[in-house]
Amino acid sequence: MQPTTELLLLTVGAVICLVLLVTWAKVNAFLALMISALLMGMATGLPALTTLKVFQEGLGATMGGVAAVIALGAILGKLLAESGGARVLAERFNAFFGPKRVGWCIVALGIAVGFVTWFAVGLLMLLPILLSLARESKRPFLHLALPLLAILSVMHGLMPPHPGPVVAIDMLKADLGKVIGYGFLIGLPTAAVAGPIFARLLTGRITVPVPELATAPSTDAPTPSFGVTFSIILMPIVLMLLATLSELPVLAEHPAREVMRFIGHPVVAMTLACLAAGVVCIRGRPGGRAEVLKFTEQSVASIGMTLLIVGAGGGFARVLRETGAANALGEIATALHFPPLLYGWMIAAFIRVATGSATVAITTASGILAPLVLADPTINRELLVISVGCGSLFLSHLNDGAFWIVKDVLGMTVSQTLRTWTVVETLIGLFGLGFTLLVATLIAP
């Protein structure tokens, strides 16, 4: 058997082991990734201790590159929620768009809130507004719910500072500012197809009543203004885009270049936004700084397992590279003339469907693709990040935690969730890939 073929079979076996551990044995994803990596390393002849060391090095390198950004993103979302900024944002958007354009209001809210919060957090934050708008507008509930789900999912899968895109950017050495630009360019039409357009096609076929929501306890703490809230959300986006602009040739020798690179670094940009949100959140609160400290600690504690999974995905990818399996996969893709964007999407989609985890899918796929990208400088790394992100969102079903969150929050049955949420995610995966390939064709030299 050829070494390349043998490595391919061992890699497939390691992925199948990962899938079985997560889906059948119900093993924690962190442990499943570590076990699969150790088995892969030893099966290819690496000593057990060497494999363990390689896994730890990969875990540490991945965490060092992305842990701070992910944690800061969680803190920013928590502070905006606790300060009441998210509610202020929703009220102002609703007043601006009016009852006749309530759909656009939902999309705008999804973009603003989804950029700084994770999918589940954003959905829960916007749920009261969604229910209120559905009752006031008298429109079918799914006409508003599905667009919100689509835009929140797209933001979570394609846009930093969410875990998956941050990991992919780090592993594939992509430009963060360009990823944000492509994310909007590709993500918005993708969300339009999977959300509003698909929702209209469901008219009369699936009816979901507006669920009841318990009244949240009121608070006397003052809320920030719309301008302040929107400025905090825009701050990290603008600062990170500055880092991209600093690469323009006209700034090659300008002293401002290093300053733009520094403040545009994701860690610095997110830190400044978190500090601004913390100041806003402190004002008028009886607990003051101590209460805000509690919020930040709660937000980081809630993502502990996600950070471990991200790190373990990096460790698994490092083992694949050390054994030569990642290079072998790249050689096979080249021999079969697979376009890199399609190949990356296929790997991420397979792992996503099998494990139910978008984070595991995008982390593992990025690690496998990293040697291929380094060997071929013609590959558009930013579009590859988007392609892998779209693959990691493909076909959510019963093994995905988000599936059950959507089902319970929107008051749907399993059958209704499969016919709505699962289709939304499938459309995002397919149309996201299609738009990515279209953009790649249009910008090709």
Side-chain angles (χ1 to χ4, degrees):
M1 184 181 295
Q2 294 292 325
T4 299
T5 304
E6 183 178 349
L7 284 172
L8 174 62
L9 293 176
L10 288 173
T11 303
V12 172
V15 173
I16 291 174
C17 176
L18 170 64
V19 170
L20 292 176
L21 287 173
V22 172
T23 60
W24 177 70
K26 304 301 181 185
V27 174
N28 179 274
F30 170 77
L31 293 175
L33 282 163
M34 183 171 63
I35 292 170
S36 300
L38 293 176
L39 291 176
M40 176 67 188
M42 291 186 288
T44 57
L46 284 181
L49 289 178
T50 302
T51 303
L52 182 60
K53 181 181 178 181
V54 170
F55 177 83
Q56 290 175 324
E57 290 173 350
L59 185 149
T62 302
M63 293 287 282
V66 304
V69 178
I70 295 173
L72 289 167
I75 291 172
L76 180 58
K78 179 71 171 178
L79 292 177
L80 285 176
E82 295 294 344
S83 68
R87 187 175 70 253
V88 170
L89 200 69
E91 292 171 351
R92 179 61 66 88
F93 276 22
N94 186 27
F96 175 79
F97 286 102
K100 293 184 178 180
R101 295 186 294 273
V102 66
W104 288 107
C105 176
I106 287 292
V107 171
L109 282 172
I111 294 173
V113 175
F115 187 84
V116 295
T117 62
W118 293 9
F119 173 83
V121 176
L123 178 58
L124 293 174
M125 284 173 57
L126 294 178
L127 181 62
I129 292 92
L130 172 65
L131 302 184
S132 176
L133 292 176
R135 291 192 179 95
E136 292 175 4
S137 65
K138 307 296 184 183
R139 295 180 61 178
F141 181 53
L142 291 181
H143 279 203
L144 302 183
L146 295 188
L148 179 61
L149 294 178
I151 194 64
L152 288 177
S153 180
V154 164
M155 298 299 289
H156 185 86
L158 305 187
M159 301 289 284
H162 297 95
V166 169
V167 171
I169 290 168
D170 181 67
M171 287 188 172
L172 301 177
K173 309 305 178 187
D175 183 279
L176 186 144
K178 291 181 181 178
V179 171
I180 292 177
Y182 283 132
F184 279 117
L185 178 65
I186 294 169
L188 293 183
T190 299
V193 173
I197 295 175
F198 173 59
R200 291 192 186 97
L201 295 177
L202 285 180
T203 302
R205 299 182 182 182
I206 301 177
T207 302
V208 176
V210 181
E212 296 294 330
L213 181 69
T215 304
S218 60
T219 176
D220 296 329
T223 56
S225 67
F226 170 79
V228 169
T229 302
F230 201 59
S231 297
I232 292 174
I233 290 175
L234 286 179
M235 183 185 297
I237 304 175
V238 173
L239 292 179
M240 286 187 284
L241 288 176
L242 280 179
T244 299
L245 293 176
S246 70
E247 301 302 324
L248 293 173
V250 70
L251 296 173
E253 304 297 330
H254 199 284
R257 187 176 198 177
E258 288 303 313
V259 176
M260 294 171 68
R261 283 179 171 177
F262 175 74
I263 64 175
H265 190 282
V267 173
V268 177
M270 292 299 297
T271 298
L272 293 175
C274 286
L275 291 175
V279 171
V280 170
C281 199
I282 286 173
R283 292 187 307 174
R285 288 191 171 273
R289 295 181 180 86
E291 190 171 7
V292 172
L293 175 61
K294 181 183 70 174
F295 293 152
T296 61
E297 291 174 344
Q298 289 173 344
S299 64
V300 175
S302 67
I303 64 168
M305 183 51 63
T306 297
L307 289 174
L308 283 176
I309 292 172
V310 166
F316 182 72
R318 179 68 66 89
V319 170
L320 290 178
R321 291 202 297 272
E322 190 69 21
T323 59
N327 285 325
L329 288 169
E331 292 173 7
I332 291 172
T334 303
L336 296 176
H337 303 290
F338 271 136
L341 298 182
L342 176 60
Y343 188 54
W345 184 91
M346 290 171 60
I347 296 173
F350 169 74
I351 298 173
R352 155 69 163 183
V353 174
T355 65
S357 172
T359 302
V360 172
I362 199 169
T363 303
T364 306
S366 299
I368 291 173
L369 293 166
L372 181 64
V373 171
L374 295 176
D376 186 355
T378 64
I379 296 175
N380 189 312
R381 303 179 182 192
E382 291 75 30
L383 285 180
L384 185 58
V385 171
I386 299 298
S387 177
V388 171
C390 291
S392 74
L393 298 174
F394 179 72
L395 192 64
S396 168
H397 59 98
L398 283 77
N399 65 350
D400 180 12
F403 177 93
W404 300 102
I405 293 174
V406 170
K407 171 190 172 297
D408 293 337
V409 167
L410 300 187
M412 296 190 291
T413 65
V414 170
S415 174
Q416 289 174 330
T417 310
L418 286 169
R419 295 161 63 194
T420 54
W421 164 249
T422 299
V423 178
V424 166
E425 290 290 87
T426 302
L427 291 174
I428 289 174
L430 293 174
F431 278 89
L433 172 64
F435 287 129
T436 302
L437 295 176
L438 176 61
V439 171
T441 301
L442 294 176
I443 67 174

